[in-house]
Amino acid sequence: METKIQSLKELYEKDFYLWVMENLRLLRNKEYESVDWENLLEEIEDMGQRHYDAMVSYMAVIMEHLYKWENFRYSQDMGHDWIETIYTHRRKVARIFRKHPSLRAKAQGREVIQEAWEEAVRALVDWFENPKNKTLAVVYFKGRIPTEKDFPQECPYTFQQIMEYKPWLED
């Protein structure tokens, strides 16, 4: 039996699909002692983590674009594509919540919002590093590329604002 489990563990590295199918067969046949539990449990955890990571990433994009709208629009014609990006990512987050309702409660936690904000700040720094945005760096940061320290350390948005705030309607 130990040899069977070891070869299954090797299969995990060599042919993931076959590893999945073999573990599935073992579970259906109730051959629990032969299942590669270590890797199977890791994969189950990763499945949930993917949805969480996607949610955080979408929330970060929303905050990045809200922040751009509020702070880096130098003309009335600028930023309309940011609005579409915000709407698109709000729909993506809402879809995750429909499919995985427990993530809605988790998303409202201060630490999750902060994690998303920190990702948004990194994206903002990257945005200013893009040569096409050099003019904006000159205007808003006295000619230098901003760093993460140039943005609020604490997230300036609540969960409700991330999901509903529409500052472009207030203009």
Side-chain angles (χ1 to χ4, degrees):
M1 174 146 30
E2 186 63 36
T3 307
K4 228 178 177 183
I5 294 171
Q6 185 58 35
S7 65
L8 199 53
K9 287 179 186 281
E10 290 170 8
L11 190 58
Y12 177 77
E13 299 296 330
K14 294 178 181 169
D15 188 339
F16 182 76
Y17 178 79
L18 186 56
W19 173 86
V20 168
M21 293 297 109
E22 182 59 18
N23 275 289
L24 188 57
R25 184 190 66 75
L26 292 168
L27 288 168
R28 284 186 174 138
N29 293 335
K30 296 181 174 51
E31 296 178 45
Y32 303 126
E33 67 283 346
S34 298
V35 171
D36 179 5
W37 288 106
E38 181 181 344
N39 288 316
L40 184 61
L41 294 172
E42 185 177 311
E43 289 301 322
I44 291 171
E45 183 177 18
D46 284 349
M47 285 178 357
Q49 189 66 37
R50 279 191 293 263
H51 299 296
Y52 172 85
D53 290 344
M55 174 194 70
V56 169
S57 180
Y58 297 150
M59 289 171 59
V61 171
I62 294 165
M63 288 188 273
E64 171 195 355
H65 289 84
L66 283 172
Y67 197 82
K68 284 179 188 178
W69 181 272
E70 293 180 318
N71 295 281
F72 304 123
R73 285 181 65 228
Y74 58 83
S75 76
Q76 293 289 52
D77 296 329
M78 185 175 186
H80 295 286
D81 54 332
W82 301 336
I83 296 169
E84 187 55 40
T85 300
I86 291 167
Y87 281 134
T88 297
H89 285 76
R90 282 178 175 164
R91 286 190 301 271
K92 290 178 178 185
V93 172
R95 185 177 64 232
I96 288 174
F97 292 160
R98 281 192 306 277
K99 289 183 169 189
H100 313 286
S102 64
L103 284 176
R104 176 183 288 280
K106 189 160 184 80
Q108 295 179 53
R110 193 74 208 142
E111 57 283 343
V112 174
I113 293 170
Q114 185 62 29
E115 179 183 353
W117 173 246
E118 289 168 8
E119 189 173 318
V121 167
R122 286 188 292 277
L124 287 164
V125 170
D126 291 346
W127 184 68
F128 277 104
E129 288 179 352
N130 185 325
K132 74 178 185 173
N133 296 318
K134 185 173 183 167
T135 303
L136 293 174
V138 168
V139 171
Y140 292 104
F141 295 98
K142 299 180 178 143
R144 65 179 179 76
I145 302 296
T147 68
E148 292 176 10
K149 293 177 182 165
D150 291 303
F151 298 94
Q153 297 302 300
E154 295 295 317
C155 180
Y157 302 106
T158 65
F159 177 75
Q160 185 172 355
Q161 288 174 313
I162 295 165
M163 296 306 296
E164 299 173 11
Y165 178 45
K166 299 174 185 172
W168 50 89
L169 297 179
E170 299 169 8
D171 285 352

